Each structure stands twice: as C-alpha cells, then as structure tokens.
Amino acid sequence: MKQFIITLCTLCCLTAGAQQFQQEFGNPRKDFVERIATPNHSDSRYMPEQTATLRLTAREGGVPLPDGTVVRFKCGPEMMLPQQWDSTVFVSGEALICMGTMTEPGFLACQYEYMAGGHRQTDLVKVAFAPELINSYTQLPADFYRFWKQAVKEARKVDLEPEYYDVPDATNDEFVTQLVHLHVGASKWMYGYLTRPRNAAAGSCPVVLVPPGAGSGRIFPSDYFPRQGMVYLKIEIHGNDQRLDNDGYEALRRQCEGYERRGIESRDTYYYKDVYAGCVRAVDFLCSLPEWDGRNVIVTGGSQGGALTIVTAALSDKVTLCAPFYPALCDLGGFLHQRAGGWPKFFSPHYNGSPDESAMQTLQYYDVVNFARQLTVPTFMSWGYSDDTCSPTSVWAAWNAIVAPKQCDITPTSGHWRFSSSQEKCLRWMREQLRD
C-alpha cells in the first residue's frame, strides 16, 4: 500500500514538473530531431532472395541533417548481428542502407546510429522474409498432454484458501479492489489484485486473468477491464507479499533472480511447472466468484504474460478467449539452429551461463509453441518486428502453430511494447467474441 502511494506521488510530481516546463518554455508538439526509417517494402515483408533496403530520413528542428552526417550500421540475421560496422552518409536529409537478403524464412535486422541534436540517435529495424513459413524447431513430446493433465490435476487437489486484503487507494464508488492470496499448488502461492465493478449483479460479468511480464517486481491494480464490466485479476507468480515495504520487498525480489533457470535439469523440477499449473488455478478462482457470468473467461498479457496466456488457455478447460501480446518462451531451441529463439534466449551466444543443451529435453514441455499447438479457443495475438526481447521469428513460430480460430495485429515498427491502437483492437475483438 505504501508503495502504491509513493508511486502515485511520483506521478503527481512528474506531472507538476511537466506543467511547470510548459508554462515557462511552451509545450513542444514534436521532437527536435524527427526521424523515420522506411523499408522499400511498405509492409516490411519480403520473399527469400529479394533485397531489402532502408531509407533513413532525419531533420533537426525541421531542417534536413547536414550533408555528410555519418550513419554507422550493421545488418544480419536478428539477434546475430556482426561485430563490425559499415557506414554511409546523409544527403539532403536522407541516407540509404542496403540490408541485404535471406535465403530462408526469418528476420533480417539493421542496427544504426548517428549524431543529431547533440545526441546519439540509434534504433533497430527488422524486416520479415516469408514469415508465414517459419516453423518451430521445438519437438512435441509424445506424453506432453498427459504430463500437463496430471500436473493440473495435482494442483487442483489443493484448496485455494483465498485470503483477501482491502486496497482503499484503488477502491471507489465504481470499483472494489482487493489483494488476494491464493494457494495454487502443494507448495505454491500467488498474490493478485482483484478488481470488481461495485454492485455487479451475480452472474453478470466476464472474468479476465492477466499474468505478469518477466521479473519479480511489484504488480499494481488497474480499472481498465472493470470499466468494461469485467472482473479483473492481475497476478504475480512468485508468492511475494505485495504489502511489504520497499526494503522487505526488495529482499524477496533478489531471492527470485534467475528463477527462469531453476530446476531446468528435469521437467518435474523446473520452476515454471508450478507457475503454469498455478495460472490454471487462478482461472479456477475467478470462476468461483459470484459475479462470473458462467460463460466468458479471458486471459491476456504481454511477454512472459503473453506466454502464460497461451499456456493457461491451452491447459484450462474454462478459458474461452486467448489474447497474448509478443509472447516469450517460444521456440527456445532456435539458437541451437543458428536462428533467433525466444526469451530467455537460453542458448544465445550472449546469454550468461547458458544451460547444457540437454535442457532442451525439459524445455520441450515448457516451450510455448507446444501449447500454441493445443489451443482450441479463439485467439488474438499482436506483436512487432523491432522486438529484441521476444524475437519476431520465435513469435511467428508460435503463431504458425495455432490451428484454432485466430486474428493477428502486426505492427512492424513496435518493439517490446504495444501501440494503444493494438490494445483497442484487442478489446473490440474481445467484446465481439463474448458469449451471450
């Protein structure tokens, strides 16, 4: 609660500082350095053997950059760029970079930088080569479904034992927010912020589960989905008490570091086993609430939360809609085949302390591609091409594995984030898909 208040105060201070700047110096409506990078194919998609070029346009205060301004760049398969840089120059505010081509489906990346406005301007652009033909390198174990059916069955033997704590700062005349503590496995607990429309009638609300992105930081409540008449639960996956002060919480957070590798030696001991099953139990909890309409169960999240969205929708018999954004944990073995894989990039040459390749025996049971193959419910997925956390190659591998009804929103210029328009499209899709 204290952290929530501190965050709110910080936002107020930042807002006040911005208002003071505007009063003194005016309100800039554009960046001083305006720039755009445009591939020669407007949709950033190519067929193998076609050549991709990138046109950079840049202006300082509306004036083209001086002729001769140097651009350094390097191009290659995504996440596997060469060490050496090439260079070209701006002429009349434009510079042209030849990115090259690919002979197989995948993504080509260009990292570039130049000086303008007194600062180093840098960006990463990726383009796709026949992405609809990208296949996963992840094998589906013969006992995959049986393994997870048993894991969920064991988790469901444990009573959820929900404990509720009021959150006055996120409760008002429209919504009621509580912090809930759930027993989701034999030795697994999760916290979550539960927000419900105040005075919602019994059986009137769809329910929405939002798993978290990677890491072990605090989570925060939101009224985004409750404003749509939905009951919302945002969970964390480590069992860290959200009521602790900063020092206490930081101590817990440090204990979670490296969780994505814990127990990776075996499918039975890997950290994510209890997490995956625990997300199913979080759905069970939502479906136990009196407000649930008995028909609509939505799961949505981004990055690790996107991965857990697909996993939960595949494992839970209650989920009716699946809406992941740029999911992690997809096609994890891609790096072993000289192709970009998904976060946590275990086998990337840049990963610190990569596990032994034998870990792939475990990871086949956790790779999100294998859960994407199991999906049966309508799915909306959104991702960008300039993402260097969850590679678009790995996301496409998961997307191509889905045989359920699906709709995508691809925004090539976005990275490991989403445009507001993508969220709006997702919400419209959700509302169109709701069961009466």
Side-chain angles (χ1 to χ4, degrees):
M1 191 64 59
K2 180 179 178 182
Q3 177 63 28
F4 181 81
I5 295 172
I6 291 172
T7 302
L8 183 61
C9 291
T10 301
L11 289 173
C12 290
C13 290
L14 290 172
T15 301
Q19 291 173 343
Q20 184 179 17
F21 180 91
Q22 291 169 15
Q23 290 174 355
E24 289 291 331
F25 307 112
N27 183 15
R29 298 178 184 177
K30 293 183 177 180
D31 291 329
F32 179 66
V33 177
E34 300 174 85
R35 65 186 188 188
I36 187 169
T38 308
N40 58 323
H41 284 199
S42 59
D43 59 358
S44 299
R45 290 176 67 163
Y46 300 78
M47 292 302 295
E49 307 290 354
Q50 290 182 324
T51 299
T53 59
L54 191 64
R55 184 178 299 277
L56 305 183
T57 304
R59 284 169 167 74
E60 292 178 322
V63 179
L65 290 192
D67 288 357
T69 300
V70 176
V71 184
R72 295 205 314 156
F73 65 90
K74 48 186 175 181
C75 302
E78 69 161 332
M79 295 189 176
M80 299 179 184
L81 294 179
Q83 293 294 319
Q84 61 271 27
W85 294 79
D86 288 322
S87 65
T88 186
V89 296
F90 278 94
V91 177
S92 299
E94 291 190 347
L96 195 64
I97 295 174
C98 181
M99 294 180 64
T101 189
M102 298 185 74
T103 58
E104 296 181 351
F107 275 79
L108 196 63
C110 176
Q111 181 180 344
Y112 67 85
E113 60 180 39
Y114 57 89
M115 293 297 298
H119 301 281
R120 186 175 301 279
Q121 310 292 323
T122 182
D123 204 357
L124 179 72
V125 175
K126 299 182 186 181
V127 295
F129 285 79
E132 69 282 354
L133 300 179
I134 293 174
N135 293 316
S136 174
Y137 286 108
T138 300
Q139 298 298 309
L140 179 67
D143 62 346
F144 178 87
Y145 181 76
R146 184 166 64 252
F147 173 78
W148 282 110
K149 185 177 181 180
Q150 182 62 31
V152 171
K153 181 179 178 180
E154 290 299 317
R156 281 178 166 163
K157 290 179 179 179
V158 179
D159 194 311
L160 286 165
E161 304 177 53
E163 302 171 354
Y164 297 89
Y165 307 94
D166 292 338
V167 185
D169 293 307
T171 297
N172 53 36
D173 293 340
E174 297 181 81
F175 313 109
V176 176
T177 297
Q178 295 170 296
L179 180 67
V180 62
H181 192 209
L182 299 174
H183 194 188
V184 297
S187 58
K188 185 68 176 178
W189 293 78
M190 291 181 179
Y191 279 91
Y193 281 108
L194 175 68
T195 302
R196 298 181 260 193
R198 187 181 288 277
N199 301 322
S204 65
C205 298
V207 293
V208 182
L209 176 70
V210 179
S216 52
R218 292 182 186 272
I219 58 172
F220 297 95
S222 167
D223 63 5
Y224 179 84
F225 287 108
R227 287 190 180 278
Q228 311 303 320
M230 303 175 182
V231 173
Y232 159 89
L233 178 65
K234 173 65 177 284
I235 58 171
E236 61 83 49
I237 62 171
H238 307 294
N240 292 344
D241 192 341
Q242 303 297 300
R243 299 168 297 164
L244 292 174
D245 62 21
N246 286 342
D247 290 342
Y249 197 88
E250 177 62 17
L252 283 182
R253 191 198 64 75
R254 286 196 299 269
Q255 293 175 19
C256 294
E257 291 177 356
Y259 69 88
E260 68 276 7
R261 290 188 54 182
R262 291 183 188 171
I264 202 170
E265 298 79 15
S266 165
R267 67 179 189 176
D268 296 307
T269 60
Y270 191 32
Y271 186 85
Y272 275 112
K273 182 181 181 182
D274 288 342
V275 173
Y276 285 11
C279 287
V280 174
R281 293 298 282 141
V283 167
D284 292 344
F285 165 73
L286 280 169
C287 293
S288 73
L289 299 175
E291 294 91 346
W292 179 44
D293 65 10
R295 299 180 301 278
N296 295 289
V297 179
I298 303 167
V299 188
T300 185
S303 192
Q304 177 186 260
L308 296 177
T309 291
I310 295 173
V311 169
T312 307
L315 293 181
S316 173
D317 51 356
K318 297 181 173 68
V319 172
T320 58
L321 293 179
C322 172
F325 288 80
Y326 35 87
L329 293 156
C330 297
D331 201 31
L332 295 167
F335 289 105
L336 298 176
H337 300 270
Q338 291 72 54
R339 193 179 79 182
W343 182 91
K345 312 177 194 176
F346 285 128
F347 305 105
S348 164
H350 307 295
Y351 186 84
N352 184 20
S354 295
D356 189 274
E357 290 185 16
S358 63
M360 274 307 303
Q361 297 300 314
T362 295
L363 293 174
Q364 288 177 2
Y365 290 88
Y366 294 87
D367 196 306
V368 167
V369 168
N370 280 337
F371 293 91
R373 289 168 171 152
Q374 312 298 317
L375 287 175
T376 60
V377 300
T379 300
F380 176 99
M381 196 153 90
S382 180
W383 67 100
Y385 287 174
S386 295
D387 191 335
D388 228 29
T389 301
C390 297
S391 68
T393 300
S394 67
V395 175
W396 267 99
W399 173 256
N400 290 339
I402 298 173
V403 296
K406 60 184 180 178
Q407 179 176 326
C408 67
D409 176 55
I410 301 172
T411 52
T413 59
S414 64
H416 199 59
W417 46 272
R418 73 193 76 168
F419 290 108
S420 59
S421 60
S422 296
Q423 186 62 50
E424 292 163 4
K425 288 179 183 177
C426 181
L427 181 60
R428 286 196 298 271
W429 174 86
M430 288 178 180
R431 301 196 69 84
E432 291 167 358
Q433 297 291 327
L434 289 178
R435 299 174 179 176
D436 296 330

